[in-house]
Amino acid sequence: MEDTDAELLRVLQDEHGDALFAHAVRLAGGDRQRAEDLVQETLLRAWRHPEALDPERGAVRSWLFTTARNLAIDAWRRRSVRVGEVVTDMIPEPPPSADEADRAVEAWTVAEALGRLSAQHRDVLVECFYRGRSVAEAAARLGVPPGTVKSRTHYALRSLRMVLDEMGVTG
């Protein structure tokens, strides 16, 4: 990093750091770690685009606050589209235990439904859901590209749903 780059970051931090951090804490709902990440990414963007900090284009602090806000919104959107992500500090409680007979019937029903799927669909569901493999791991294991695993999983779940409907399983 050149001396002018370091000086730019130093000046931005000195003049706007405290206010930017306070703004980021509000944007992050009080999560100080996330706020620090927002400030760091905002300053990184300022360093990469020093032309945006030209006073003729507007107030520097406004640009920094707007950039931090946009980054917070982008992060929120990324988190909200992740299926099944649960943020918690506690280990979830196991569900109430079902009766052994109910579990046996459920296992038999799922095995029957899986047996009615094509081999490709069954294999991808077994790798991803029963063996807990990631898309990349399942792709390597099945010898297909990751995109194929994703599309097969989509269609396999759709087929499984139809098979379970045909079997009279509701839920």
Side-chain angles (χ1 to χ4, degrees), residues 4 7 13 25 27 36 55 58 70 73 80-81 87 90 94 98 104 112-113 132 135 145 156 159 163-164:
T4 57
E7 184 59 28
Q13 180 63 36
V25 168
L27 291 172
E36 289 173 5
N70 291 339
I73 289 169
S80 68
V81 297
V87 179
M90 298 173 47
E112 175 71 23
V135 170
S159 296
V163 167
L164 289 169

Side-chain angles (χ1 to χ4, degrees), residues 50-97:
E51 70 279 359
L53 304 176
D54 184 356
E56 292 180 15
R57 295 181 70 178
V60 171
R61 185 169 286 193
S62 295
W63 185 90
L64 292 169
F65 277 38
T66 301
T67 301
R69 180 179 177 274
N70 291 339
L71 289 168
I73 289 169
D74 291 346
W76 177 82
R77 286 179 180 156
R78 280 192 305 276
R79 283 189 310 275
S80 68
V81 297
R82 291 186 190 134
V83 177
E85 179 180 357
V86 177
V87 179
T88 180
D89 291 334
M90 298 173 47
I91 298 173
E93 292 293 320
S97 61

Side-chain angles (χ1 to χ4, degrees), residues 116-127:
R116 293 184 186 185
L117 298 179
S118 70
Q120 291 178 336
H121 285 169
R122 183 176 45 255
D123 291 345
V124 77
L125 290 180
V126 168
E127 291 299 321

Side-chain angles (χ1 to χ4, degrees), residues 21 24 32-43 71:
F21 181 71
R32 296 178 69 79
Q33 180 63 47
R34 191 171 289 160
E36 289 173 5
D37 292 343
L38 282 173
V39 169
Q40 181 178 358
E41 183 62 28
T42 300
L43 292 176
L71 289 168

